[in-house]
Amino acid sequence: MFALIDCNNFFVSCERVFRPELENKPVIVLSSNDGCAISRSNEAKLLGIPMGAPLFEIRHLVKAYNAEVLSCNFELYGDISSRIMSILQQQCEKVEVYSVDEAFLEYDDSVDWQTEGERLQKHLMQCVGIPISIGFGVTKTLAKLANLQAKASGVVCYLDASTKYHDALKAITVNKIWGIGAKLSKSLRQQAIYTAYDLMTANAKDIRKEYGIIVERIVHELNGQSCIPLTLIQDPKKSIQITRSFATPVKDMAILKQAVARYGFRLAYKLRENSQKTQTLWVYGRNTKFESSNTVLHQRTIILDEPTNDTATIIQHAQSAVEDFFDPKISYSKIGIMALDLHDATLPQQKSIFTPKANDKKDIDKVMDDLNKRFGLGTVRPLSCGESIDWMNKRDHKTPAYTTNWQNIVQVKAK
DNA sequence: TCTGGGGTCCTAGGACCC
DNA sequence: TCTGGGGTCCTAGGACCC
């Protein structure tokens, strides 16, 4: 038996932990650059603010109902998330961290799901103050659907393929199923498959022929036959990217180079964090995708002689890629850098015979990482990253990093 | 005026091998 | 008119997830 734990309105709930006065108020958290609503309190959902709505389209609602608008604070959400996951790992032997706000747990069939679910809800609320929904099911896919019901009803739910639950499955539209997105649900509807029950009772072989192995697996999962096991050990990442939109489009190469240096700096740090090195860099810049005519994507792929996670090397390659593709006629609204072809940095590495002997500066990154871990990322950084960050992101409503920065720590006064 | 960021997996087709 | 059989690896693109 699987359980899916999902934090309710996660980013908003994180903010509410430190701002209890936001309870019962409409609250939204915005994406980077204060662009779109990416987390909404129940009150905000009731106002009709859709997921991903651009702020400028919902301003009238925000104003009319005095909704609280917050910039995203991933430092905070990441920290709360890791607290939640480690608490879950104390409570259950088999935990798969599925996303920042979701985890799958695996249980013995003998466990009383209702008691266990309520216990976990209470425990997490007490430890971190985050409300969660829990769905149990005999497969991951069913646990996901049970979670959907749990969120709607406010109680812990359970699903399996027995007739007892057929009515519940008939009430779930096919697009709500984990792995069935917009395209597939449209296509399935054309085949008269409208609900989870319809897909469950469809012929798996025909589905395989028409839609491939992913949808076939979903059919089996809906029938209670587990095809997607719990992954206890996360595979190493296959790609890492850092990409941002600009607050206002950029036509200045110097600024683009500074931006890509920052992203390269963060990228190299992430690689070292994961004990990985990259041998292929992909650097791109593009104009806005909202002017349908003339969308431009400039890109360069750089294959390195040998894998690296060296900050200076990555920044140099990223900047020369930008110099190379830069076109002064283009207003760049977004640039990014991606590391592909990742290698395990702890393994011995084949050196290239064409690369000159590496100069002995490997300690610089280590010293920089140590300082940045202690005092915050960016405390020590390459000069190419620049000093001012004014031009980069709009974050007009940012909340403090309550749990990860000593300057922002919450003070409690006892009378 | 303004529209997020970071990932994964599968498939088809091409190029190549013996 | 007809042109083998069995593989691997790589890439681009599509679809999905949070």
Side-chain angles (χ1 to χ4, degrees):
Chain A
M1 183 168 63
F2 297 91
L4 178 69
I5 312 252
D6 188 321
C7 301
N8 300 342
N9 315 330
F10 182 53
F11 301 163
V12 166
S13 296
C14 289
E15 301 286 355
R16 279 176 168 170
V17 170
F18 297 93
R19 300 267 307 272
E21 76 274 15
L22 297 180
E23 290 294 338
N24 305 316
K25 259 194 82 170
V27 181
I28 58 172
V29 171
L30 300 174
S31 61
S32 132
N33 241 353
D34 290 347
C36 305
I38 54 169
S39 181
R40 304 154 295 149
S41 70
N42 289 344
E43 298 79 8
K45 288 177 189 173
L46 284 174
L47 294 182
I49 296 176
M51 181 65 174
L55 180 60
F56 70 90
E57 282 178 12
I58 53 172
R59 255 212 169 101
H60 61 288
L61 291 172
V62 168
K63 212 171 170 189
Y65 296 94
N66 193 26
E68 187 78 18
V69 175
L70 301 170
S71 300
C72 56
N73 184 349
F74 282 101
E75 216 176 313
L76 175 66
Y77 315 147
D79 184 60
I80 303 277
S81 172
S82 59
R83 288 169 195 234
I84 289 169
M85 298 309 166
S86 66
I87 288 164
L88 289 176
Q89 273 151 353
Q90 288 160 21
Q91 301 301 311
C92 177
E93 254 178 69
K94 295 182 179 172
V95 178
E96 172 187 342
V97 177
Y98 177 66
S99 76
V100 70
D101 72 329
E102 283 179 52
F104 283 105
L105 279 57
E106 194 175 341
Y107 284 100
D108 223 86
D109 288 344
S110 60
V111 169
D112 181 288
W113 54 267
Q114 191 150 11
T115 315
E116 176 63 4
E118 285 166 6
R119 185 182 76 82
L120 287 176
Q121 271 182 325
K122 213 169 139 193
H123 189 63
L124 274 177
M125 181 52 89
Q126 191 186 349
C127 293
V128 283
I130 298 286
I132 58 170
S133 299
I134 310 189
F136 286 83
V138 291
T139 65
K140 280 180 157 183
T141 303
L142 286 167
K144 267 272 195 185
L145 292 181
N147 187 281
L148 211 69
Q149 291 188 298
K151 212 164 271 165
S153 64
V155 296
V156 180
C157 291
Y158 172 88
L159 277 177
D160 63 34
S162 64
T163 45
K164 192 177 159 189
Y165 296 107
H166 284 183
D167 282 344
L169 291 170
K170 283 174 190 170
I172 299 170
T173 52
V174 75
N175 60 305
K176 302 278 189 198
I177 301 168
W178 188 38
I180 306 291
K183 291 274 162 103
L184 281 171
S185 49
K186 187 180 169 200
S187 172
L188 285 166
R189 276 194 297 269
Q190 281 162 0
Q191 310 278 326
I193 295 173
Y194 301 103
T195 69
Y197 179 78
D198 293 340
L199 189 58
M200 177 182 121
T201 49
N203 182 297
K205 279 201 175 136
D206 297 344
I207 292 287
R208 165 96 188 218
K209 239 179 260 167
E210 188 82 9
Y211 299 103
I213 194 170
I214 297 184
V215 185
E216 187 200 13
R217 259 198 304 247
I218 292 170
V219 173
H220 292 312
E221 283 256 322
L222 289 172
N223 279 287
Q225 188 189 334
S226 182
C227 304
I228 310 171
L230 204 73
T231 33
L232 289 172
I233 297 159
Q234 231 32 276
D235 284 342
K237 277 207 190 336
K238 291 167 181 166
S239 70
I240 299 178
Q241 58 177 315
I242 308 284
T243 156
R244 294 281 178 284
S245 303
F246 295 117
T248 45
V250 172
K251 289 188 104 168
D252 180 344
M253 179 158 80
I255 292 179
L256 290 180
K257 282 175 67 180
Q258 202 177 105
V260 87
R262 278 161 193 262
Y263 307 163
F265 168 60
R266 294 209 59 148
L267 183 73
Y269 175 77
K270 278 195 175 186
L271 285 168
R272 293 191 294 271
E273 278 273 275
N274 296 347
S275 299
Q276 288 182 304
K277 292 184 174 183
T278 176
Q279 198 161 7
T280 305
L281 290 171
W282 185 65
V283 182
Y284 78 93
R286 54 161 233 224
N287 61 0
T288 177
K289 61 181 175 184
F290 295 101
E291 288 162 32
S292 52
S293 63
N294 267 332
T295 54
V296 176
L297 176 71
H298 292 153
Q299 53 179 320
R300 290 292 181 274
T301 303
I302 302 120
I303 300 188
L304 306 168
D305 290 332
E306 53 187 58
T308 187
N309 55 23
D310 178 67
T311 304
T313 307
I314 288 172
I315 290 179
Q316 275 163 22
H317 284 290
Q319 289 195 321
S320 54
V322 169
E323 280 172 18
D324 201 31
F325 69 55
F326 177 75
D327 177 347
K329 293 190 291 295
I330 302 298
S331 290
Y332 293 89
S333 66
K334 183 176 191 173
I335 63 168
I337 175 168
M338 190 190 293
L340 302 131
D341 190 12
L342 303 185
H343 299 247
D344 184 342
T346 63
L347 296 178
Q349 169 183 329
Q350 175 69 53
K351 298 280 181 190
S352 160
I353 58 170
F354 301 113
T355 311
K357 194 168 167 258
N359 49 16
D360 199 15
K361 56 171 186 184
K362 59 174 184 279
D363 287 331
I364 292 178
D365 280 337
K366 165 115 182 54
V367 171
M368 197 163 62
D369 289 350
D370 288 345
L371 288 168
N372 285 334
K373 264 177 210 157
R374 237 170 101 189
F375 301 107
L377 186 64
T379 305
V380 181
R381 59 181 184 271
L383 188 59
S384 53
C385 296
E387 285 187 50
S388 156
I389 56 162
D390 294 342
W391 51 270
M392 235 177 89
N393 284 108
K394 213 167 98 186
R395 279 184 119 183
D396 292 343
H397 316 280
K398 184 171 178 256
T399 53
Y402 304 101
T403 60
T404 50
N405 188 324
W406 288 110
Q407 260 82 53
N408 296 158
I409 199 154
V410 175
Q411 295 182 18
V412 179
K413 287 179 188 151
K415 280 192 182 168

